[in-house]
Amino acid sequence: MSLDAFFYPEGVAVFGSFKEGAIAREILRNIVEGGFEGKVIPVNPKGGMVEVAGKTFEIRRRLDEPTDTAIIAVPAKIVPALIDEIGPLIKGAVVISAGFSEVGNDELERELVEKAKKHGVRLIGPNCAGIFGVYGKFFGSFEIRVKLGGLALISQSGAFGGAALAMGNDEGIGFSAFVSYGNAADLNESDFLEYFADDENTKAIALYIEGVKDGRRFLKALRYASSKKPVIILKAGKSVSGAKAAASHTGSLAGSYEIYRAAFKQAGAIEVEEMEELFDAAKAFETYSKAGKRVAVITNSGGPGVLATDKLERLGLKIAKLSEETVRELLSFLPPQCSVKNPIDLIADADYGRYKRTIETVCKDGNVDSLLIICVPPIFIPSEEIARAVIEASCNKPLIVNFMAGELVGRGVEVLEEAGIKNFPTPERAAKALFWLSER
């Protein structure tokens, strides 16, 4: 079956308790509040009524009509029998319930998979946090909802996925989809990589993994996805102790980190070291598909310019040598106190006009592939003024922006966000964003 039934469903049935605070009720609330336009069927053998988010539903005692997807949050021991019962009526099931192979209950998980295969039903989970199909307005999870965008997040860990979604909201990331796949008894990271590689609403894929069960298939799927769009990977379980913890967490084989690292590189994926980097890379790829290695740094403060320059060089990027024509043009309008060497220091009182004209002048230089713009505004120049200069400058090359810091640049960052330009809060993080773009 196509995985569209999970991420763009026309109907969903939710199984579990609908008492206040129960997981099934929270998932139902998320689906309703998220604006899902398909048919929603709550199911519990006790029946009754449930009201969530201003809507009242009759709780069916059993599923008695076809629907695309079932979300199951019932005790683990009854899940296989439930799948056997509803199998002829559904295309896919998301099993939230825990208590399977992750706690040594391998036989119960095998029975679950057998029942699903018998009816041609595909499974996500068990032991997972659910799924989002953001373009389908489908929030089939108890995690925090997110805004529409281009990042598909695939997470082996439900808790990591929830934290990542919340952090993504804080970082201004827009999502196309989210899937927490838990024990991967059926569908796994390889299936989701292949699916999102072909999903027209997904611009980049972020993957959190602890281990995979079929390394050969994973490498093939990763190669395929990376050939279509950026794939950003955060691998947990790199140390010996971490690998043991990963194996006990989801029952997967963590394996040697060196093997994984080589596989990521061979497939053309981008590996990051921590959550912050995952979202910095996602922000970069949400705006640009790639960038060259020759960078021009434009700043109004010498120190951050030097920090950016140091980081760029450590990462193997080049500080572009500006052409004589560019230097002459810069000298023609910049105050004599400004430095026209790269990094270009516009000094503290740089205003809208100085930033805009400098960006446009440097952007025309054939020796420059991309620009890193730094702004540390003095209290007498509103940060939004410089933000408008960045937005309105005529430049067809990648522009990575570092407005710092805190409340001083709050409004400027908002103006950038409204124009679809992401801010990187430190010079080093901005430099790293250019590095990832240059790796494509």
Side-chain angles (χ1 to χ4, degrees):
M1 69 167 252
S2 164
L3 300 192
D4 283 354
F6 288 112
F7 300 100
Y8 300 90
E10 293 180 4
V12 60
V14 182
F15 293 79
S17 169
F18 297 98
K19 292 178 181 177
E20 198 69 48
I23 287 177
R25 184 189 179 100
E26 289 306 304
I27 293 171
L28 179 62
R29 181 184 58 78
N30 230 9
I31 291 170
V32 174
E33 288 183 351
F36 182 60
E37 295 169 357
K39 188 164 187 178
V40 183
I41 307 170
V43 185
N44 184 289
K46 294 180 180 177
M49 306 292 287
V50 60
E51 183 183 337
V52 293
K55 285 194 176 183
T56 302
F57 294 87
E58 177 191 355
I59 302 173
R60 308 272 184 95
R61 294 182 185 276
R62 59 188 299 171
L63 184 64
D64 53 9
E65 64 179 274
T67 193
D68 281 338
T69 298
I71 298 182
I72 297 172
V74 302
K77 63 183 179 182
I78 65 173
V79 175
L82 176 59
I83 291 291
D84 200 23
E85 177 191 330
I86 66 175
L89 297 172
I90 63 172
K91 297 175 182 175
V94 182
V95 182
I96 308 292
S97 316
F100 292 87
S101 64
E102 81 282 359
V103 293
N105 212 340
D106 293 15
E107 186 54 44
L108 188 65
E109 190 161 298
R110 276 194 292 273
E111 186 185 354
L112 168 62
V113 174
E114 284 170 12
K115 299 295 187 189
K117 282 184 176 175
K118 172 182 168 184
H119 298 287
V121 171
R122 301 310 305 265
L123 295 174
I124 295 177
N127 182 35
C128 74
I131 59 175
F132 290 169
V134 187
Y135 283 81
K137 297 182 182 178
F138 179 56
F139 294 91
S141 169
F142 50 80
E143 302 293 359
I144 188 170
R145 294 192 304 278
V146 292
K147 71 175 186 176
L148 198 70
L151 181 68
L153 174 62
I154 306 168
S155 179
Q156 194 164 11
S157 162
F160 172 88
L165 292 171
M167 187 173 174
N169 277 347
D170 291 342
E171 292 281 343
I173 299 290
F175 292 83
S176 62
F178 160 67
V179 54
S180 156
Y181 61 93
N183 295 3
D186 177 24
L187 293 168
N188 60 36
E189 62 287 319
S190 299
D191 297 290
F192 300 120
L193 281 169
E194 290 168 352
Y195 175 74
F196 291 124
D198 293 328
D199 177 46
E200 62 181 15
N201 291 318
T202 296
K203 291 182 181 177
I205 301 167
L207 174 63
Y208 169 87
I209 58 168
E210 295 171 2
V212 300
K213 293 178 179 175
D214 185 344
R216 194 175 299 245
R217 168 132 194 264
F218 172 68
L219 184 56
K220 182 182 176 185
L222 186 59
R223 271 204 206 101
Y224 177 72
S226 296
S227 73
K228 295 286 194 87
K229 53 195 65 169
V231 179
I232 307 154
I233 300 179
L234 178 58
K235 168 76 172 74
K238 297 176 185 177
S239 64
V240 173
S241 297
K244 288 178 182 176
S248 65
H249 179 203
T250 56
S252 66
L253 298 173
S256 163
Y257 168 59
E258 294 306 317
I259 294 172
Y260 278 99
R261 188 169 68 172
F264 300 156
K265 190 168 185 178
Q266 186 182 346
I270 293 157
E271 186 185 7
V272 296
E273 294 294 319
E274 53 196 39
M275 281 179 72
E276 185 179 88
E277 291 190 338
L278 183 80
F279 288 112
D280 280 353
K283 283 196 289 189
F285 285 115
E286 198 172 357
T287 312
Y288 302 106
S289 59
K290 61 182 178 179
K293 291 187 177 291
R294 300 174 301 171
V295 183
V297 179
I298 298 171
T299 181
N300 67 342
S301 177
V306 173
L307 288 172
T309 301
D310 285 347
K311 186 69 171 179
L312 288 165
E313 289 198 334
R314 279 201 303 273
L315 292 168
L317 285 90
K318 297 183 174 70
I319 304 305
K321 181 173 174 55
L322 303 178
S323 70
E324 291 181 10
E325 183 183 351
T326 297
V327 171
R328 278 196 303 270
E329 189 172 343
L330 291 172
L331 288 169
S332 74
F333 66 85
L334 289 177
Q337 305 97 306
C338 295
S339 169
V340 295
K341 293 180 179 179
N342 191 9
I344 301 149
D345 188 352
L346 304 182
I347 68 174
D349 64 351
D351 58 6
Y352 171 94
R354 199 180 297 172
Y355 263 99
K356 182 174 182 289
R357 192 168 175 187
T358 301
I359 292 168
E360 291 177 341
T361 300
V362 172
C363 191
K364 291 183 296 184
D365 194 319
N367 296 333
V368 173
D369 296 322
S370 53
L371 291 77
L372 197 165
I373 314 298
I374 299 172
C375 174
V376 190
I379 56 173
F380 55 87
I381 295 181
S383 63
E384 58 265 37
E385 179 181 320
I386 309 306
R388 283 194 294 273
V390 173
I391 293 161
E392 294 168 12
S394 177
C395 181
N396 60 357
K397 295 176 180 177
L399 279 174
I400 293 296
V401 179
N402 162 224
F403 274 41
M404 56 190 295
E407 291 181 11
L408 196 62
V409 296
R411 181 58 192 141
V413 171
E414 285 177 13
V415 170
L416 290 169
E417 288 279 348
E418 288 162 9
I421 297 174
K422 308 296 183 186
N423 184 57
F424 295 84
T426 70
E428 294 89 349
R429 287 172 67 178
K432 197 74 181 279
L434 277 171
F435 166 73
W436 288 312
L437 287 170
S438 75
E439 291 288 281
R440 283 292 290 166

